[in-house]
Amino acid sequence: DTAVSQTPKYLVTQMGNDKSIKCEQNLGHDTMYWYKQDSKKFLKIMFSYNNKELIINETVPNRFSPKSPDKAHLNLHINSLELGDSAVYFCASSIEALNEQFFGPGTRLTVL
Amino acid sequence: GNSVTQMEGPVTLSEEAFLTINCTYTATGYPSLFWYVQYPGEGLQLLLKATKADDKGSNKGFEATYRKETTSFHLEKGSVQVSDSAVYFCALRGLGAQKLVFGQGTRLTINP
């Protein structure tokens, strides 16, 4: 059974396009996160939602907009994609914000 | 702010060798410390954790001890296997904080 799933697994698109990445967790967790992993494997948090409310918003361009329709889903929409957005994006979830985080398999985004 | 520094990789060892991956941190108070592992093509998995000074986390033959005096959380394994080849991330979560701060990751390759 998949715990944290992301779609798509790979996304290749042109500069300037708008795209979305979806994340779903079936663990009953109430907190979800988006992380960005760059080409050097450096991993940094972008956003966190607890019970559909934004609780962490790091210094991320406002072209990135997370959307949490319910506790089990946290989607990431990116407008006007740029070359520097190419990375692997990981979704994660936890029971409350202070507990172990479970990660999804990642979405590799390539902007051409 | 909080930060984590890991030994630079890549690290290449022969099967059954002893492994140490160094990790030091900077944080106020007493953070929780974690090691995550990322196998090729997969998301991150929690390997072990420690939440207070002198705690030892252990899992799958890996160990790490929370050393407050040296602000370190070095990962060790007595006899590595080919299947341990992966990228290893040290991370911390500050006291009462909701986000994980990751080190830059260390790629480990074990040759038969």
Side-chain angles (χ1 to χ4, degrees):
Chain A
D1 287 344
T2 303
V4 182
S5 60
Q6 296 178 226
T7 53
K9 187 163 184 173
Y10 300 96
L11 183 53
V12 180
T13 188
Q14 300 287 330
M15 242 179 4
N17 284 349
D18 302 339
K19 291 293 178 186
S20 291
I21 306 172
K22 296 186 175 182
C23 178
E24 176 180 4
Q25 53 91 7
N26 62 6
L27 298 168
H29 291 171
D30 59 2
T31 305
M32 296 183 72
Y33 312 79
W34 277 110
Y35 288 85
K36 179 180 180 180
Q37 186 178 46
D38 63 24
S39 58
K40 296 185 178 177
K41 295 289 188 182
F42 188 67
L43 198 67
K44 189 171 180 184
I45 192 165
M46 301 172 69
F47 301 103
S48 174
Y49 271 73
N50 177 261
N51 282 319
K52 296 168 45 180
E53 287 192 29
L54 183 67
I55 55 171
I56 295 175
N57 185 354
E58 293 292 291
T59 308
V60 176
N62 58 15
R63 298 182 294 103
F64 290 78
S65 52
K67 295 272 192 308
S68 182
D70 55 57
K71 285 197 316 183
H73 295 85
L74 180 62
N75 303 324
L76 184 64
H77 188 75
I78 315 170
N79 288 327
S80 303
L81 278 155
E82 299 178 357
L83 294 177
D85 298 332
S86 295
V88 180
Y89 292 84
F90 286 100
C91 178
S93 72
S94 66
I95 299 175
E96 302 181 349
L98 300 182
N99 288 304
E100 176 187 346
Q101 295 180 22
F102 291 78
F103 283 76
T107 296
R108 181 175 293 278
L109 170 65
T110 303
V111 182
L112 304 175
Chain B
N2 297 340
S3 66
V4 176
T5 302
Q6 284 180 238
M7 109 192 234
E8 284 210 25
V11 174
T12 303
L13 296 172
S14 298
E15 207 164 19
E16 299 183 3
F18 184 86
L19 168 71
T20 299
I21 300 179
N22 289 339
C23 171
T24 56
Y25 67 90
T26 301
T28 53
Y30 291 84
S32 294
L33 301 173
F34 306 84
W35 276 100
Y36 278 82
V37 57
Q38 184 180 24
Y39 297 105
E42 297 183 15
L44 279 73
Q45 301 174 26
L46 179 65
L47 181 59
L48 53 85
K49 66 179 181 182
T51 56
K52 60 183 189 296
D54 299 325
D55 266 3
K56 178 186 281 189
S58 61
N59 186 24
K60 299 182 180 178
F62 291 89
E63 292 184 341
T65 301
Y66 189 144
R67 301 281 188 206
K68 181 68 176 172
E69 63 277 10
T70 53
T71 61
S72 65
F73 194 55
H74 305 321
L75 183 69
E76 296 182 335
K77 186 174 185 180
S79 176
V80 292
Q81 306 300 314
V82 172
S83 57
D84 293 327
S85 298
V87 180
Y88 291 80
F89 292 89
C90 186
L92 72 79
R93 188 178 58 228
L95 187 63
Q98 294 157 339
K99 67 177 185 182
L100 289 171
V101 175
F102 286 89
Q104 70 270 39
T106 302
R107 183 180 296 277
L108 173 67
T109 302
I110 307 300
N111 293 322

